């Protein structure tokens, strides 16, 4: 008797899995063999506008690389991405009992972004927010600490750029194609 129940439950599970198998489509799948991914094509058609500051430029450069695979910022693209980048460094609660200086600091890069159709730069197609955080060990040497903060900002910028790319990919996959 238990084997019959087990067989019935396995058959139901297989039937359920088989019925939903056609619903899945990989995000970066080729729609036509040899044509490449429609998503990769859409992402490569986003021009990233200049962002202010060193960290803003780092986010922009990382994002251009993520979107185009290293091909550079497209000129005359149908989409434009505007970035507003803020960064901050905060001390963690770990303080050295000998010096009273923080031992760990957190660097945060926060990016608000807006995607526009080049034909209409007044109303955004999509807006979003992305952030990246990185920690660093504070040292007693001033220049080593400054370089550690810069490296943490670069790591945070890379994480924020990857997050923006994922959000844009989600937008282009769920958006109806232009006619």
């Amino acid at each position: 008797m238990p084997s019959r129940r087990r067989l019935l439950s396995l058959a139901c599970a297989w039937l359920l899995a088989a019925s939903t198998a056609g619903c899945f489509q990989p995000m970066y799948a080729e729609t036509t063999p040899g044509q490449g991914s429609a998503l990769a094509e859409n992402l490569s058609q986003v021009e990233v506008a200049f962002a202010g500051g060193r960290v803003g430029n780092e986010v922009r450069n990382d994002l251009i690389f993520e979107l185009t695979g290293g091909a550079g910022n497209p000129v005359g693209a149908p989409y434009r991405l505007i970035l507003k980048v803020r960064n901050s460094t905060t001390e963690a609660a770990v303080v050295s009992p000998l010096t009273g200086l923080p031992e760990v600091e957190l660097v945060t890069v926060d990016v608000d972004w807006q995607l526009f159709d080049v034909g209409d730069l007044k109303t955004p197609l999509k807006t979003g927010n992305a952030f990246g955080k990185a920690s660093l060990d504070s040292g007693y040497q001033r220049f080593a600490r400054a370089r550690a903060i810069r490296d943490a900002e670069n790591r945070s910028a890379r994480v924020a750029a990857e997050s923006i790319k994922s959000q844009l990919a989600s937008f282009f996959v769920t958006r109806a194609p232009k006619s």
Side-chain angles (χ1 to χ4, degrees), residues 149-172:
I149 289 174
R150 183 177 179 146
D151 289 343
E153 288 172 343
N154 291 349
R155 291 193 314 268
S156 298
R158 191 173 312 113
V159 169
E162 290 170 357
S163 177
I164 293 170
K165 178 191 175 191
S166 297
Q167 293 173 29
L168 288 173
S170 174
F171 168 71
F172 282 122

Side-chain angles (χ1 to χ4, degrees), residues 12 21 26 32 37 42 49 52 80 84 100 104 109-110 116 121-122 128 141 147 152-153 166:
C12 288
T32 306
S37 169
N42 280 334
R80 180 168 295 144
K84 181 182 175 189
V104 177
V109 172
D110 192 19
F116 292 94
L121 292 175
K122 291 183 181 178
Q141 297 177 354
R147 182 61 207 199
E153 288 172 343
S166 297

Side-chain angles (χ1 to χ4, degrees), residues 58-141:
E58 190 70 30
V59 172
R60 178 181 180 265
N61 288 341
D62 288 338
L63 188 56
I64 290 170
F65 186 82
E66 288 287 328
L67 295 176
T68 65
N73 204 16
V75 178
Y79 302 105
R80 180 168 295 144
L81 189 70
I82 308 291
L83 306 173
K84 181 182 175 189
V85 180
R86 296 177 304 280
N87 64 309
S88 63
T89 303
T90 58
E91 301 170 354
V94 181
V95 177
S96 171
L98 298 174
T99 63
L101 296 174
E103 291 182 354
V104 177
E105 294 182 67
L106 297 173
V107 173
T108 304
V109 172
D110 192 19
V111 183
D112 293 324
W113 58 269
Q114 294 179 322
L115 180 68
F116 292 94
D117 191 338
V118 173
D120 179 18
L121 292 175
K122 291 183 181 178
T123 57
L125 296 172
K126 177 80 174 157
T127 61
N129 181 279
F131 67 92
K133 290 184 182 256
S135 65
L136 64 115
D137 293 332
S138 297
Y140 303 116
Q141 297 177 354

